[in-house]
Amino acid sequence: MKTDIILAGVGGQGILSIAAVIGQAALLNNLYIKQSEVHGMSQRGGEVMSHLRISSNPVASDLIPFGAADLIIAVEPMESLRYLNYLSPEGWLVTNTKPFENISNYPDFDKIIDAIKELPRRVFIDADETAHEIGSVRASNMVMLGASVPFLKLSSESVEEGIRLIFGSKGEQVVDQNLQAVKAGMEAAKAVL
Amino acid sequence: MQQLLLGDEAIAQGAIDAGLSGIYAYPGTPSTEIMEYVQKNDEAREKGIHCRWSTNEKTAMEAALGMSYAGKRTMVCMKHVGLNVAADPFMNSALTGVNGGVIIVSADDPSMHSSQNEQDSRFFGKFAMVPVLEPSSQQEAYDMVHYGFELSEAFKIPVMIRITTRLAHSRTGIASSKKKEQNPLALPSDPRQFILLPAIARIRYKNLLKNQAGLEDKSFDSDFNKFIDGEDKSFGIIASGIAYNYVMENAQDGKVKNPILKIAQYPVPKKLIDKISLQCKTLLVLEEGYPFIEEQLTGLIENGYTIKGRLSGDVPRDGELNPNIVAKALGLAVPETVATPAIVVNRPPALCKGCSHIDTYLALNEAMQKYDGNRIFSDIGCYTLGALPPFNSINTCVDMGASITMAKGASDAGLTPSIAVIGDSTFTHSGMTGLLDAVLENTPITVIISDNETTGMTGGQTSAATGRLEKICLGLGVEREHLKVILPLKKNHEENVRIMAEELAYQGLSVIISQRECIQTAARRKRSSI
Ligand SMILES: Cc1ncc(C[n+]2csc(CCOP(=O)(O)OP(=O)(O)O)c2C)c(N)n1
């Protein structure tokens, strides 16, 4: 078993929490993991990405080779396109469609969606909308985690257990909100698959 | 039970487990999380491990040397350019040697993700003639801390651990080894060991030279260095650090059949090089950073070999490596990939909404309107983003503290007014001494300390300057009448412009402290207080 995942977003959007939960879920399944993150300069409103590799065999490289990622999980639509060079020909793109516009030359939204639609295997949902519907606006990253569950090669139970372990220290309420968000994301993805 | 740790955190945990008594550091990407881990660690607190930030890397290195003098194990951490600041004590510590074990962690940043250059710390290690350990994995980083302290105490020499960005900031499961108690307080057996008077220094230097052969033998015997034989002798591979992982990534499914020599401990062991050069007439060197091993090879093997690497052009001369660059160098096929669509644009880093630096720059830009030309010398921190639109305010960023001294030099050359913009942490790191230079001559420069009461760029660590800036400036001899404190807020804009304009016009030294807390740390404080 091997899943190589690129996580993409803008600094502060919570991609590292997604990575932490998947990583925890992988550990629960006794898998090997390596997860490389970006710290420093680019965190200030810049683009951020993370390489997450889970495998039943020891992982050599901290970075995923170009053209080898099984999955790109993006919490922002333009960011979902930035790392397409990592995606394998059989890989999936799972992205949020809600733009994060902190630059003046943000491209035309329709063109972004068109570019996403050009990919043969992609799932796009409005995770902010979904998060809003369930009353936890800040959990759109967990909605995206939910939407990507079908492609992780991990059971939804272990992802949920991962949430309990990662957010447990923040209290019952935070755990429940995140569990709900993941569930909503899974359903949203199912609806469009 | 394995712990999921960043490379930096693995080093910190390794140090705690290996009997660390104190860690000294100044923040700098990608090294910051080592100290931060110790600061947050319960066990470290229970054991009373010293873990306060130092004012700069030089003070950190010296404090560590003092702790070592007292017999304890200590670690100093910095980013690569920090080692330039600590270079004086670092170079000399190779001569004094150590008492308690000393490990210097220098974190290099090839590709300059968050740095001004991509210098390779291994050269510094060789320059000082101290052993260097270069982990290829986070587990190895953990293990090397234990080993490094033993090596340091066995040879009475400081040991460097050199890491790079990808190793520092990648997380994986770490198995820990047996915990060791801290060393007891114990003074050096030779009371003159640390007195580098010429007569003693000459003896100490001979001792350092004498140790080199033993250190090379240690490298040869090291479990971290290894030779993996292979049947394809058309070329041999020498790989170090994270580059070794990229080789192994490509070697999956038996795709690489060449002999591989992994080097993780320096000085480069000649006898290991002999092993691979006996088999292969062509050697491919893969290393993250400068061509450090590659340069040395010509001296270690006879003529008639082909050496491929960054110098030969078979690997790019600059920037970090990745699995694909390494695949290409190995002669393996690299898959065709989808290109990033042209509509994707960059998001340059920007000052946060509501950041105090913004109001400082807006006021300064207006006050500067009557002066032509580019004359604002600045420094390193969040406020360096003032170089970008919409501000376009500053004209230099060279090294920590250089704003004040460069403004002084320009002023000495006749450029008046010359202005320095420096952050609070940068000021206490290396700006104070330069300000004293300006005080001594009452140089007509205006120094703006943009004080957000934190070390913002690296994530909001406590700043040694907080609450002390006025006293420091007055103590250094800045005139009371030309030391102004302003509050950078929109509503104070007109007044701040006026104060800046007045001080710019003054034909002597002025300091303006523009003071308002970083909105990130303020928000964090608010969150943690509820
Ligand atoms: C010698 C050296 N040490 C450390 C760094 C890393 N570094 C860059 S900026 C910075 C902090 C600057 O803090 P401050 O001056 O308070 O400015 P702020 O980022 O808060 O605006 C640090 C630690 C460096 N570039 N060079």
Side-chain angles (χ1 to χ4, degrees), chain B residues 152-174:
Chain B
S152 173
E153 286 173 358
F155 281 81
K156 294 278 170 209
I157 195 168
V159 170
M160 178 192 286
I161 294 184
R162 183 253 185 177
I163 55 173
T164 52
T165 306
R166 299 298 179 176
L167 185 114
H169 287 167
S170 178
R171 205 179 283 283
T172 193
I174 300 294

Side-chain angles (χ1 to χ4, degrees), chain B residues 235 237 247 250-260 330 332:
Chain B
F235 66 94
I237 301 161
V247 172
N250 282 294
Q252 282 168 20
D253 317 320
K255 271 184 299 190
V256 176
K257 298 194 169 62
N258 308 67
I260 301 169
L330 291 169
L332 301 174

